[in-house]
Amino acid sequence: MKPPVNVDALLRPRPPSPLLEVHDERFAEHGVRLLLKRDDLVHPELPGNKWRKLAPNLRAAVAGGHEQLVTFGGAYSNHLRATAAAGRSLGLATVGIVRGDELAGRPLNDSLARCVADGMRLHFVSRSRYRRKAEPQELARLVDEADARGAYVVPEGGSNALALSGCAELGRELRGAADVVAVACGTGGTLAGLAAGLDPGQRALGVPVLAGGFLAAEIRSLQAAAFGGPAGDWTLAEDYHHGGYARVPAELEAFAADFGARHGLPVERIYVAKLLWALAELTASGAFPRGTTLAAVVTGRP
């Protein structure tokens, strides 16, 4: 029998992540303080919400005796890369079910190549089938076809009831530190857990990076599964997705480069840049009263 695996001992996370104040006149002129919660520094290969969401699932997989993980993501998924890295470190086999069967015959991009280098086996599926992965029968077929029977299944983005417990810890680290804690959202799990961990009187603000307006229902569903019902005060700031996932128009690129130069922060473009842009725009529009302290969660690095 293999000796028990200690997930935290092997992966060596470094919570709590630093909370730093930055002076930026775009906020200061409206009487708003801006803090950066540098969750990108919590782990070198599983930064920010990737560690927060994966860690509880990794512990459950190991405790359940699973030797393989299977999960889902697109061609540039940070979650796939983090899962592959975690599997390599823990000695677990990993399988990534990737959206887009047209990618199967093409050279791998840098993101998917990193997954393979870390030992992940990729299985490409059509976009129509990928959209149905939450249906129990289709999920079972996808896992079976990927030759991952018996594997521990981690959902897309790592967002499930277990993941919310890890993200609630992020909220607890920020208790009393800010009036509004803001985070970019993909699948909604980080915001759902974050809101639950904050103190009464604090508000969590999510900035969706995908178009579609589906996220509120997903967050409510995740909180019901994790906590039995609504938890914490949260809202969404829609319309800051800049055209959809992975869309980085020139104006957003310029904003991110400028913010990084001003504050010595490498700004990740798909999530963090959209978050910071939204906060700057909302501040300029008077959405936050003077005296408000904002905390922006930096969930990853470029």
Side-chain angles (χ1 to χ4, degrees):
M1 178 181 291
K2 290 184 177 180
V5 173
N6 186 319
V7 170
D8 293 79
L10 284 174
L11 294 180
R12 298 193 298 277
R14 299 189 289 266
S17 53
L19 182 64
L20 309 172
E21 182 168 4
V22 296
H23 180 81
D24 190 306
E25 60 268 24
R26 291 168 291 192
F27 296 86
E29 68 181 359
H30 297 281
V32 173
R33 292 176 66 216
L34 177 64
L35 311 178
L36 300 180
K37 177 65 167 167
R38 293 294 306 274
D39 230 36
D40 57 314
L41 302 178
V42 79
H43 191 279
E45 293 184 294
L46 285 73
N49 58 348
K50 302 311 169 195
W51 165 257
R52 305 282 184 181
K53 292 193 287 186
L54 270 177
N57 280 284
L58 294 170
R59 295 184 194 112
V62 168
H66 295 273
E67 297 184 351
Q68 183 170 236
L69 307 171
V70 60
T71 194
F72 302 82
Y76 294 93
S77 169
N78 294 326
H79 169 69
L80 286 181
R81 289 204 308 276
T83 304
R88 185 202 72 231
S89 296
L90 297 175
L92 299 174
T94 56
V95 178
I97 297 178
V98 184
R99 180 179 61 245
D101 55 352
E102 74 279 4
L103 302 171
R106 299 178 184 174
L108 297 178
N109 62 35
D110 289 346
S111 184
L112 293 178
R114 181 68 257 174
C115 292
V116 171
D118 279 335
M120 177 173 276
R121 182 164 51 81
L122 303 179
H123 178 72
F124 297 90
V125 300
S126 69
R127 294 170 185 270
S128 60
R129 292 193 66 199
Y130 189 91
R131 284 193 292 270
R132 297 173 54 204
K133 63 188 179 300
E135 301 172 14
Q137 289 185 328
E138 185 61 27
L139 172 62
R141 282 193 289 268
L142 289 170
V143 169
D144 187 65
E145 291 170 10
D147 196 20
R149 291 176 297 279
Y152 183 91
V153 179
V154 182
E156 181 179 32
S159 292
N160 58 10
L162 273 178
L164 266 62
S165 67
C167 295
E169 181 59 31
L170 170 62
R172 286 189 284 273
E173 289 178 18
L174 285 160
R175 285 180 176 177
D179 303 296
V180 179
V181 179
V183 66
C185 300
T187 54
T190 304
L191 178 67
L194 168 67
L198 294 173
D199 271 332
Q202 290 181 291
R203 175 166 63 95
L205 174 65
V207 177
V209 301
L210 292 86
F214 62 90
L215 208 55
E218 184 64 21
I219 292 167
R220 287 191 290 269
S221 176
L222 285 167
Q223 288 196 332
F227 310 121
D233 180 9
W234 58 269
T235 56
L236 294 174
E238 306 275 6
D239 301 325
Y240 295 99
H241 51 73
H242 291 265
Y245 185 73
R247 300 286 180 86
V248 185
E251 59 183 359
L252 181 62
E253 174 64 38
F255 172 85
D258 174 70
F259 193 97
R262 291 185 190 211
H263 305 298
L265 172 72
V267 178
E268 187 272 334
R269 299 316 199 241
I270 296 173
Y271 289 91
V272 179
K274 293 179 180 181
L275 167 67
L276 296 171
W277 171 288
L279 292 180
E281 291 286 302
L282 288 166
T283 298
S285 71
F288 306 116
R290 296 187 74 86
T292 296
T293 297
L294 295 177
V297 180
V298 179
T299 49
R301 297 183 297 273

